């Protein structure tokens, strides 16, 4: 059964480790991540962006697939199904469809509007036992190589949003989505420290987990990060393994074109990436 992400993240914060949110794109992704979490005895959060939700034929399809896998694969570790960077409408749709957690990303609104909308959604989610993440300080990113550092959130605004009763908070601390450009200046630990001073026990979320050096990951966990989002890194490992299979001509040998064979190296590569992250985040054996 899906669970809210609140309890697993409160435990992570108290235990000084982080739970990974791994974004899913299809059946192979979901199965690889769930099997790895089970093998590592680790809690896990499956992230679904609005685009990925649409790609997978809608939120209800996603809920059906994930719930089916939990049963059929006998997954017993805590699993949360979480909307990633949701709009207000997206959050409502996922609450309705059976997600156990949502993120409302109101970071592009003026702070007053972010507060008003977050407050409304907090009440709705908590009525149903669903956890909710909010965001302050937009986490930008594209591979244009221009960005030196992502936006840094205002700690006072973080405190205002934290006080609305959100279960965990994403705050920009120089992190960005996708690959980091060569001129990236790194995470702003001063910002993270200032945010944690004001938000206390609230678990903090680090987006853009792909490509952040291990020492920075560990330092951010020591400063209150309890959830780390990873998406691009699984995509890169999947693509590299698939490329290798095809370049070796294996799709043209025997029944190598069968999707169950063609997609297998990529699915294994995702497992390896997820395991490596769980080890770095410290969530192994914390189920
Ligand atoms: P990456 O794609 O950079 O790993 O970021 C994932 C993320 O933060 C999803 O919200």
């Amino acid at each position: 059964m899906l669970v809210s992400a609140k309890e697993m993240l409160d435990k992570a914060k108290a235990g000084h480790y982080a739970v990974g949110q791994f974004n899913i794109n299809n059946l192979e992704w979901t199965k690889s991540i769930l099997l790895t979490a089970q093998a590592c005895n680790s809690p896990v959060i499956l992230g679904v962006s609005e685009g990925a939700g649409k790609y997978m034929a809608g939120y209800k399809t996603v809920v059906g697939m994930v719930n089916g896998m939990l049963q059929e694969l006998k997954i017993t570790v805590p699993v949360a199904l979480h909307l990633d960077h949701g709009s207000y409408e997206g959050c409502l749709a996922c609450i309705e469809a059976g997600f156990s957690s949502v993120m409302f990303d109101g970071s592009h609104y003026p702070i007053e509007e972010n507060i008003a909308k977050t407050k409304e959604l907090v009440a709705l989610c908590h009525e149903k036992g669903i956890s909710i993440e909010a965001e302050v300080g937009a986490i930008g990113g594209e591979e244009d190589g221009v960005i030196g550092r992502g936006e840094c959130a205002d700690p006072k605004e973080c405190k205002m949003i934290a006080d609305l009763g959100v279960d965990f908070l994403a705050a920009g601390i120089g992190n960005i989505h996708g690959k980091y450009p060569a001129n990236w200046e790194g995470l702003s630990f001063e910002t993270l420290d200032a945010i944690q001073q004001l938000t206390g026990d609230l678990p903090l979320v680090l987006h853009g987990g792909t490509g952040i050096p291990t020492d920075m990951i560990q330092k951010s966990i020591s400063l209150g990060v309890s959830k780390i989002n990873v998406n691009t890194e699984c995509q890169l490992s999947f693509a590299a393994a698939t490329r290798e299979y095809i370049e070796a001509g294996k799709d043209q040998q025997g029944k190598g074109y069968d999707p169950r064979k063609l997609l297998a190296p990529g699915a294994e590569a995702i497992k390896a990436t997820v395991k490596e992250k769980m080890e770095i985040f410290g969530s192994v054996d914390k189920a």
Side-chain angles (χ1 to χ4, degrees):
M1 203 183 77
L2 288 169
V3 295
S4 128
K6 179 174 168 53
E7 194 186 328
M8 65 170 90
L9 293 179
D10 283 347
K11 266 174 76 181
K13 175 98 186 194
H16 307 290
Y17 60 92
V19 176
Q21 171 191 307
F22 299 96
N23 285 51
I24 59 173
N25 292 285
N26 62 14
L27 181 140
E28 280 74 18
W29 248 256
T30 313
K31 188 172 160 190
S32 292
I33 295 165
L34 288 178
L35 288 174
T36 307
Q38 186 68 25
C40 291
N41 194 30
S42 167
V44 73
I45 299 168
L46 301 178
V48 179
S49 67
E50 295 201 348
K54 208 167 169 187
Y55 176 80
M56 289 184 276
Y59 300 127
K60 287 183 185 147
T61 313
V62 176
V63 169
M65 173 177 72
V66 173
N67 277 330
M69 278 194 203
L70 293 183
Q71 278 189 33
E72 303 274 5
L73 301 175
K74 300 186 172 47
I75 305 294
T76 54
V77 295
V79 178
L81 180 59
H82 180 75
L83 173 66
D84 190 28
H85 292 284
S87 61
Y88 182 84
E89 295 73 25
C91 286
L92 295 183
C94 285
I95 295 169
E96 168 75 23
F99 275 52
S100 62
S101 189
V102 295
M103 172 188 192
F104 170 59
D105 181 355
S107 63
H108 50 285
Y109 291 119
I111 187 72
E112 297 75 26
E113 197 169 349
N114 191 355
I115 287 177
K117 289 194 159 71
T118 301
K119 203 171 165 180
E120 223 179 287
L121 288 166
V122 166
L124 253 173
C125 285
H126 288 173
E127 207 175 279
K128 294 179 185 286
I130 294 170
S131 49
I132 176 164
E133 171 179 349
E135 176 171 326
V136 181
I139 297 152
E142 256 337 305
E143 298 103 302
D144 55 14
V146 177
I147 306 154
R149 188 177 243 187
E151 194 175 313
C152 281
D154 174 349
K156 290 199 200 78
E157 290 188 358
C158 291
K159 166 80 175 143
M160 285 157 82
I161 297 276
D163 285 347
L164 301 175
V166 297
D167 299 295
F168 31 103
L169 179 71
I173 55 163
N175 45 326
I176 51 176
H177 294 118
K179 289 188 195 172
Y180 285 86
N183 63 346
W184 180 52
E185 290 168 32
L187 297 176
S188 167
F189 293 113
E190 315 81 70
T191 308
L192 179 56
D193 192 35
I195 294 168
Q196 185 181 224
Q197 302 274 346
L198 292 179
T199 55
D201 289 338
L202 187 71
L204 301 174
V205 183
L206 182 62
H207 281 246
T210 297
I212 299 179
T214 302
D215 60 327
M216 285 195 203
I217 293 279
Q218 279 160 350
K219 184 155 187 198
S220 65
I221 293 174
S222 76
L223 290 170
V225 163
S226 323
K227 173 176 178 278
I228 303 175
N229 292 6
V230 177
N231 183 17
T232 306
E233 206 150 325
C234 289
Q235 300 187 351
L236 292 169
S237 351
F238 178 87
T242 308
R243 169 186 292 277
E244 199 180 309
Y245 181 88
I246 291 180
E247 282 183 350
K250 292 189 181 159
D251 58 315
Q252 292 169 331
Q253 296 163 12
K255 284 198 174 180
Y257 52 81
D258 179 334
R260 289 171 291 182
K261 290 200 167 75
L262 180 64
L263 300 180
E268 286 306 312
I270 293 173
K271 286 185 189 168
T273 299
V274 171
K275 181 169 187 276
E276 186 191 315
K277 295 295 166 194
M278 287 178 165
E279 282 163 357
I280 294 172
F281 300 167
S283 70
V284 172
D285 280 330
K286 295 288 184 353

